[in-house]
Amino acid sequence: MSHVINRRNWLRSTGLLTAGLGLSRWQEARADFIPESAAAEQRLFQEFAQLTTLPPDTMPALKARLFANENPYGIAASAKEAVNKATAVGNRYAWMEFAQLKTLIGQAEGVTAKSILITPGSSDVLMAAAVHYSQRGPILTCRPTYDDLLERATAMKGQILTVPATAGMGYDLAALKAKALSTPGLSMVYIVNPNNPTGTILPPAELAQFCRDVAPTVPVFIDEAYIDFLEPADRPMLGKLISDGLDVILARTFSKIHGFAGLRLGYVMAQPKTLQQIKPFTNGEFAVSITTLMAGIASYQDQAWQTYCRTENTKARDYTMKALKGLGYEPIPSYANFILFPIKMKTKAFEGQMYGQGVGIQTREIDRQPYCRVSIGTQAEMETFIDAFKKVVG
């Protein structure tokens, strides 16, 4: 019997066509919807990992992988060259390279090396913050947002307090400030900017003032995973707040515009005392390999590559926004490398049919409304997405 089956039959036979690969990151609880982002994303990759046990000719080939907010252009040529050179010292632990990268970051952000901790991606510090702050008191945020830190805190019996998002699906800084300053024992305020999954941003001046008003009383943790997709002149430069002594924590990752999702590199900026408190809950800087670190040093300095990725992302994002609007849909204005928009189908059915067309996306429900979150790929991939979308929605 031949092992060859088409993608749709494979998805149907494994139950993934109707189950949507387990991608829905939101589940109903009480009157609202609580996201299960980290767990669902892990299940997604576990599903694909299981495919390695199948004969190669039965593997479902995706035409467009648009579910994980990855950089479709890969890492910079300069970073590739650095990786190749680093293999010569791959038998050694990184040492002075940490200081080199911290110097570059410090010069760009206006902080000292003592205020920087290098991490394998930003997930490490999200976990550390969840462990540390969940034991000290409630964590305050807006939803919908990226829930990795929040879910980990909940798993450790921490309490999550929320205020409603704005009508435009953004963080309500006024409401956050009021609650932060009126809630005894609050351990931290958590903000994602640009926000995931909405792609919305906060005005830099307003965010800076929020930190000045709140951080003297409650630490403010800002996840800036997608900040590099903003033009440099449009980014909030919050490192100065750390230099001024405010208890602000800024998490960054190389996984997005640098294309290091598989190489794993990130960093966090905060008060030295704060870093000392959360560092024991991380894997430590030596969890970062010398090959990744040297590649990161090269990529951080490669402004031309970052500009190229940012420009291409904007072009493909604008194309997709325009196409969706032309089809009668209302995507939320995005400043990141993904778009969130309401759909007119059940989430699992939509996911499954899109996968049947060879396009991987994510869905979720917000206030009982189904949404699609599609990552921005290359122009060709976004055209594939729109073509598949038209076939699925009719």
PDB file of all heavy atoms in Angstrom, residues 53-70:
ATOM      1  N   THR A  53       8.108  10.872  12.825  1.00  0.00           N
ATOM      2  CA  THR A  53       8.000   9.422  12.862  1.00  0.00           C
ATOM      3  C   THR A  53       7.290   8.877  11.628  1.00  0.00           C
ATOM      4  O   THR A  53       7.217   7.667  11.446  1.00  0.00           O
ATOM      5  CB  THR A  53       7.245   8.970  14.117  1.00  0.00           C
ATOM      6  OG1 THR A  53       5.906   9.496  14.076  1.00  0.00           O
ATOM      7  CG2 THR A  53       7.936   9.492  15.383  1.00  0.00           C
ATOM      8  N   LEU A  54       6.760   9.768  10.784  1.00  0.00           N
ATOM      9  CA  LEU A  54       6.054   9.348   9.580  1.00  0.00           C
ATOM     10  C   LEU A  54       7.023   9.244   8.407  1.00  0.00           C
ATOM     11  O   LEU A  54       8.066   9.900   8.387  1.00  0.00           O
ATOM     12  CB  LEU A  54       4.953  10.347   9.229  1.00  0.00           C
ATOM     13  CG  LEU A  54       3.819  10.521  10.247  1.00  0.00           C
ATOM     14  CD1 LEU A  54       2.916  11.651   9.797  1.00  0.00           C
ATOM     15  CD2 LEU A  54       3.034   9.241  10.402  1.00  0.00           C
ATOM     16  N   PRO A  55       6.685   8.423   7.421  1.00  0.00           N
ATOM     17  CA  PRO A  55       7.498   8.389   6.192  1.00  0.00           C
ATOM     18  C   PRO A  55       7.584   9.779   5.580  1.00  0.00           C
ATOM     19  O   PRO A  55       6.601  10.531   5.601  1.00  0.00           O
ATOM     20  CB  PRO A  55       6.727   7.420   5.281  1.00  0.00           C
ATOM     21  CG  PRO A  55       5.921   6.583   6.221  1.00  0.00           C
ATOM     22  CD  PRO A  55       5.565   7.476   7.369  1.00  0.00           C
ATOM     23  N   PRO A  56       8.738  10.172   5.043  1.00  0.00           N
ATOM     24  CA  PRO A  56       8.909  11.531   4.512  1.00  0.00           C
ATOM     25  C   PRO A  56       7.863  11.948   3.500  1.00  0.00           C
ATOM     26  O   PRO A  56       7.475  13.104   3.453  1.00  0.00           O
ATOM     27  CB  PRO A  56      10.307  11.471   3.878  1.00  0.00           C
ATOM     28  CG  PRO A  56      11.017  10.392   4.637  1.00  0.00           C
ATOM     29  CD  PRO A  56       9.965   9.367   4.941  1.00  0.00           C
ATOM     30  N   ASP A  57       7.373  10.985   2.681  1.00  0.00           N
ATOM     31  CA  ASP A  57       6.439  11.374   1.631  1.00  0.00           C
ATOM     32  C   ASP A  57       5.021  11.611   2.151  1.00  0.00           C
ATOM     33  O   ASP A  57       4.119  11.945   1.393  1.00  0.00           O
ATOM     34  CB  ASP A  57       6.430  10.340   0.494  1.00  0.00           C
ATOM     35  CG  ASP A  57       6.085   8.934   0.986  1.00  0.00           C
ATOM     36  OD1 ASP A  57       5.792   8.781   2.183  1.00  0.00           O
ATOM     37  OD2 ASP A  57       6.122   8.000   0.166  1.00  0.00           O
ATOM     38  N   THR A  58       4.796  11.431   3.461  1.00  0.00           N
ATOM     39  CA  THR A  58       3.475  11.716   4.019  1.00  0.00           C
ATOM     40  C   THR A  58       3.450  13.027   4.798  1.00  0.00           C
ATOM     41  O   THR A  58       2.431  13.401   5.343  1.00  0.00           O
ATOM     42  CB  THR A  58       3.021  10.589   4.961  1.00  0.00           C
ATOM     43  OG1 THR A  58       3.878  10.581   6.120  1.00  0.00           O
ATOM     44  CG2 THR A  58       3.077   9.244   4.282  1.00  0.00           C
ATOM     45  N   MET A  59       4.588  13.711   4.867  1.00  0.00           N
ATOM     46  CA  MET A  59       4.650  14.958   5.625  1.00  0.00           C
ATOM     47  C   MET A  59       3.795  16.027   4.955  1.00  0.00           C
ATOM     48  O   MET A  59       3.905  16.253   3.752  1.00  0.00           O
ATOM     49  CB  MET A  59       6.094  15.445   5.716  1.00  0.00           C
ATOM     50  CG  MET A  59       7.019  14.503   6.474  1.00  0.00           C
ATOM     51  SD  MET A  59       6.743  14.574   8.239  1.00  0.00           S
ATOM     52  CE  MET A  59       7.627  16.078   8.625  1.00  0.00           C
ATOM     53  N   PRO A  60       2.942  16.703   5.710  1.00  0.00           N
ATOM     54  CA  PRO A  60       2.118  17.762   5.123  1.00  0.00           C
ATOM     55  C   PRO A  60       2.956  19.013   4.883  1.00  0.00           C
ATOM     56  O   PRO A  60       3.492  19.598   5.817  1.00  0.00           O
ATOM     57  CB  PRO A  60       1.050  18.027   6.185  1.00  0.00           C
ATOM     58  CG  PRO A  60       1.717  17.655   7.474  1.00  0.00           C
ATOM     59  CD  PRO A  60       2.640  16.514   7.134  1.00  0.00           C
ATOM     60  N   ALA A  61       3.086  19.428   3.644  1.00  0.00           N
ATOM     61  CA  ALA A  61       3.922  20.580   3.309  1.00  0.00           C
ATOM     62  C   ALA A  61       3.108  21.862   3.387  1.00  0.00           C
ATOM     63  O   ALA A  61       2.114  22.016   2.686  1.00  0.00           O
ATOM     64  CB  ALA A  61       4.505  20.415   1.916  1.00  0.00           C
ATOM     65  N   LEU A  62       3.519  22.764   4.265  1.00  0.00           N
ATOM     66  CA  LEU A  62       2.857  24.057   4.347  1.00  0.00           C
ATOM     67  C   LEU A  62       3.402  24.980   3.268  1.00  0.00           C
ATOM     68  O   LEU A  62       4.607  25.088   3.082  1.00  0.00           O
ATOM     69  CB  LEU A  62       3.096  24.695   5.720  1.00  0.00           C
ATOM     70  CG  LEU A  62       2.327  24.117   6.907  1.00  0.00           C
ATOM     71  CD1 LEU A  62       2.749  24.818   8.189  1.00  0.00           C
ATOM     72  CD2 LEU A  62       0.831  24.255   6.704  1.00  0.00           C
ATOM     73  N   LYS A  63       2.505  25.648   2.585  1.00  0.00           N
ATOM     74  CA  LYS A  63       2.922  26.638   1.601  1.00  0.00           C
ATOM     75  C   LYS A  63       3.304  27.952   2.283  1.00  0.00           C
ATOM     76  O   LYS A  63       4.131  28.700   1.774  1.00  0.00           O
ATOM     77  CB  LYS A  63       1.783  26.900   0.607  1.00  0.00           C
ATOM     78  CG  LYS A  63       1.321  25.687  -0.168  1.00  0.00           C
ATOM     79  CD  LYS A  63       0.100  26.041  -1.018  1.00  0.00           C
ATOM     80  CE  LYS A  63      -0.473  24.830  -1.709  1.00  0.00           C
ATOM     81  NZ  LYS A  63      -1.718  25.167  -2.462  1.00  0.00           N
ATOM     82  N   ALA A  64       2.658  28.213   3.408  1.00  0.00           N
ATOM     83  CA  ALA A  64       2.915  29.452   4.147  1.00  0.00           C
ATOM     84  C   ALA A  64       2.817  29.167   5.642  1.00  0.00           C
ATOM     85  O   ALA A  64       1.746  28.820   6.139  1.00  0.00           O
ATOM     86  CB  ALA A  64       1.926  30.537   3.740  1.00  0.00           C
ATOM     87  N   ARG A  65       3.949  29.299   6.342  1.00  0.00           N
ATOM     88  CA  ARG A  65       4.009  29.036   7.787  1.00  0.00           C
ATOM     89  C   ARG A  65       3.817  30.378   8.500  1.00  0.00           C
ATOM     90  O   ARG A  65       4.757  31.135   8.701  1.00  0.00           O
ATOM     91  CB  ARG A  65       5.350  28.404   8.137  1.00  0.00           C
ATOM     92  CG  ARG A  65       5.594  28.207   9.610  1.00  0.00           C
ATOM     93  CD  ARG A  65       6.848  27.392   9.822  1.00  0.00           C
ATOM     94  NE  ARG A  65       7.394  27.552  11.154  1.00  0.00           N
ATOM     95  CZ  ARG A  65       8.036  26.601  11.802  1.00  0.00           C
ATOM     96  NH1 ARG A  65       8.226  25.413  11.239  1.00  0.00           N
ATOM     97  NH2 ARG A  65       8.533  26.825  13.002  1.00  0.00           N
ATOM     98  N   LEU A  66       2.576  30.645   8.887  1.00  0.00           N
ATOM     99  CA  LEU A  66       2.214  31.973   9.386  1.00  0.00           C
ATOM    100  C   LEU A  66       1.549  31.893  10.756  1.00  0.00           C
ATOM    101  O   LEU A  66       0.608  32.615  11.050  1.00  0.00           O
ATOM    102  CB  LEU A  66       1.269  32.655   8.392  1.00  0.00           C
ATOM    103  CG  LEU A  66       1.767  32.732   6.936  1.00  0.00           C
ATOM    104  CD1 LEU A  66       0.686  33.311   6.038  1.00  0.00           C
ATOM    105  CD2 LEU A  66       3.046  33.561   6.847  1.00  0.00           C
ATOM    106  N   PHE A  67       2.076  31.032  11.626  1.00  0.00           N
ATOM    107  CA  PHE A  67       1.442  30.843  12.928  1.00  0.00           C
ATOM    108  C   PHE A  67       2.336  31.200  14.105  1.00  0.00           C
ATOM    109  O   PHE A  67       1.894  31.154  15.250  1.00  0.00           O
ATOM    110  CB  PHE A  67       0.968  29.386  13.092  1.00  0.00           C
ATOM    111  CG  PHE A  67       2.028  28.346  12.836  1.00  0.00           C
ATOM    112  CD1 PHE A  67       3.075  28.147  13.708  1.00  0.00           C
ATOM    113  CD2 PHE A  67       1.966  27.551  11.700  1.00  0.00           C
ATOM    114  CE1 PHE A  67       4.038  27.185  13.475  1.00  0.00           C
ATOM    115  CE2 PHE A  67       2.924  26.592  11.446  1.00  0.00           C
ATOM    116  CZ  PHE A  67       3.960  26.402  12.346  1.00  0.00           C
ATOM    117  N   ALA A  68       3.611  31.529  13.896  1.00  0.00           N
ATOM    118  CA  ALA A  68       4.520  31.697  15.036  1.00  0.00           C
ATOM    119  C   ALA A  68       5.255  33.028  15.048  1.00  0.00           C
ATOM    120  O   ALA A  68       6.206  33.199  15.804  1.00  0.00           O
ATOM    121  CB  ALA A  68       5.530  30.540  15.065  1.00  0.00           C
ATOM    122  N   ASN A  69       4.854  33.976  14.222  1.00  0.00           N
ATOM    123  CA  ASN A  69       5.477  35.309  14.194  1.00  0.00           C
ATOM    124  C   ASN A  69       6.990  35.242  13.982  1.00  0.00           C
ATOM    125  O   ASN A  69       7.763  35.978  14.601  1.00  0.00           O
ATOM    126  CB  ASN A  69       5.160  36.086  15.479  1.00  0.00           C
ATOM    127  CG  ASN A  69       3.687  36.341  15.656  1.00  0.00           C
ATOM    128  OD1 ASN A  69       2.902  36.191  14.721  1.00  0.00           O
ATOM    129  ND2 ASN A  69       3.284  36.726  16.857  1.00  0.00           N
ATOM    130  N   GLU A  70       7.403  34.357  13.086  1.00  0.00           N
ATOM    131  CA  GLU A  70       8.826  34.211  12.778  1.00  0.00           C
ATOM    132  C   GLU A  70       9.244  35.177  11.678  1.00  0.00           C
ATOM    133  O   GLU A  70       8.413  35.683  10.926  1.00  0.00           O
ATOM    134  CB  GLU A  70       9.103  32.766  12.335  1.00  0.00           C
ATOM    135  CG  GLU A  70       8.800  31.743  13.420  1.00  0.00           C
ATOM    136  CD  GLU A  70       8.553  30.356  12.865  1.00  0.00           C
ATOM    137  OE1 GLU A  70       8.005  30.236  11.747  1.00  0.00           O
ATOM    138  OE2 GLU A  70       8.890  29.378  13.552  1.00  0.00           O
TER     139      GLU A  70
END
